[in-house]
Amino acid sequence: MGDYFVGLEAAWVVNDVDTLDDAIGIAVSEAGKRLNEKDLDYVEVEVAPAHCPACGEPWDGVYEVAGTALVGLALEMEVYNVESEEHARRVAKSDIGGALRGVPLKVVETMALDVDEETDDEH
């Protein structure tokens, strides 16, 4: 059994926004609220970075057209006691997807966590 860090990307639509900062705040707040309602308060929520196709420079992944914004969110969690990396991905996508119904999700990163051996120092 292993422990893994899993990072997902979500596409969050925000309607009737005036600024990109408003869209980001609303998306992060709404996602956090829905995750907390399902006791997934351990899932980290941030704006996902996007990269300029011309120069490769990173910037916040948010686009706005006609008062409607698409905000890319980065969702990160640790998954414990799973059989494999693929199993960790399925667990993370299932847990987060259950709370964020109707929100497109994609696994973008999976990494095994180092397990420090605990030693017994009692004599």
Side-chain angles (χ1 to χ4, degrees), residues 41-117:
D41 54 347
Y42 51 86
V43 176
E44 295 292 325
V45 181
E46 299 177 349
V47 177
H51 293 76
C52 174
C55 67
E57 288 293 314
W59 48 284
D60 287 341
V62 58
Y63 309 94
E64 184 265 333
V65 176
T68 300
L70 177 63
V71 181
L73 295 178
L75 307 165
E76 301 173 346
M77 68 181 286
E78 293 177 357
V79 180
Y80 300 100
N81 298 319
V82 292
E83 297 170 3
S84 66
E85 188 173 310
E86 180 59 35
H87 187 205
R89 288 182 190 130
R90 288 193 316 266
V91 168
K93 198 167 180 182
S94 174
D95 286 355
I96 293 173
L100 304 181
R101 296 227 179 258
V103 176
L105 296 173
K106 177 182 176 185
V107 175
V108 294
E109 182 180 13
T110 309
M111 182 174 43
L113 296 174
D114 291 333
V115 179
D116 293 333
E117 294 291 326

